[in-house]
Amino acid sequence: MWLFQKRLVRGAALAASASTLAMGLSACGQAGSGTAGGVSCDASAPGVTDKEIKLGLTWSDTGEGAASLAAFRGGVDARLGLANEKEGGIFGRRITYAWRDDQADRQVNARVARELVEDEGVFGMMMAPGGSGGSIEWLAEQNIPVTGMGSDPGWENRGNMFSFYYLGEGSNTAWGKLVRELGGTRAAVIAISGSQSNSDFNRQLAASLLESGVEIVKTYNIAEAITNYEAIADQIKANDIDTLTGTVLPATAVNILPALRERGVELKAPILVLGYDDKVLQENGASLRNAVIVNQIKPWQANTPEQQTFLEAMNIYAPQIQPATTDIAVDGYVSADLFVEGLKLAGECPTREAFIAALRAATTYEGGGLIPQPVDLSTNYREPNSCYSIVRVNSEGTAFVPLFDAKPLCGDPITPERMNQLLGVA
């Protein structure tokens, strides 16, 4: 469960001025031709040689959530394999990486990230969710480029840390808009006991609901091992609640939704924050029928050329990940794609400073064509994500059906001040 919780969470920003960008891009001069033989630079950055750019990766090979995160590394392998074998590398250099197991532990992550930077001499870091919060401050102090999921509060406002998704400050109306589109007006909100990450997310969610005119009737703080789902179902029915939202994970939904059906209750808006995964459907489709799932990837049913490229790359470079249509694999793929894009923009003789300045200046990053819509990397690390892909499990529990014609559902910003006002915070 930790992985799903970490994904929902939301520092002085690094200003990327035009002069800084110009200095970074010209730091090594115009040496090199960009041919397959690699580029020679007078002064190489850490991890950069004539033939190679070496990155670091932290992920949980062991510990809680390790099975799920194998797909993250698979996505990394797929994107870098594509870059090296199909695209000729970056200015003739192959991208490689050294990795360490952070065991989903922040203290371990802090140690192994230092090892990768100081002992392995990597140019920058890719980080899977889990223990990544342990090294954020140190990596920012060292101005090390980092890509991954902005799933820890420490990612926010860090100019060196790149993600296509952050929770940000304030909120937006997307969640409330979704509930109203589905016909919901009275909500039960699920929170995870003892999780500050989910507390932050649920505050944003609550503001979105309230701004959209959705009443929050009940809030449930649950712990999976001891939660009485039957009692929750009884209360939802007794209070005429038509919406279930919050940190609703598949493990929660497969208990609550069948219990509600046994009581003759079919919610108008049963909304999950994760579960758009063929494996989840295969294992629990019957229990999850009619559930609506909010996610940050383009629906697979669109079958775009970019999605086909991703699936082909997964089959070639990470065949052990099946099915490959999982958002965790996409997270890894996009994390690697951010580095590919940043290295292209940084020029033939990349430096960490040039990479950060150039990538932070990108205003239409497309995430390999796998995310709902392009994002502005120059601002997204300060703003809450406001656009989502929405799919529904069909009434038979056998397939996902994109809603809103497979187009992203986007909300309007809610300022931090307005959010506090809605939540009654002085």
Side-chain angles (χ1 to χ4, degrees), residues 71-72 74-80 82 87 306 309-311 313-314 328-338 365 367-370:
F72 185 96
V76 169
D77 289 340
R79 183 62 187 98
L80 297 187
L82 193 65
E87 299 170 7
E306 294 85 359
T309 296
F310 165 81
L311 293 173
M314 290 293 292
I328 301 172
V330 172
D331 293 344
Y333 187 94
V334 175
S335 297
D337 185 72
L338 280 161
Y365 174 67
L370 302 180

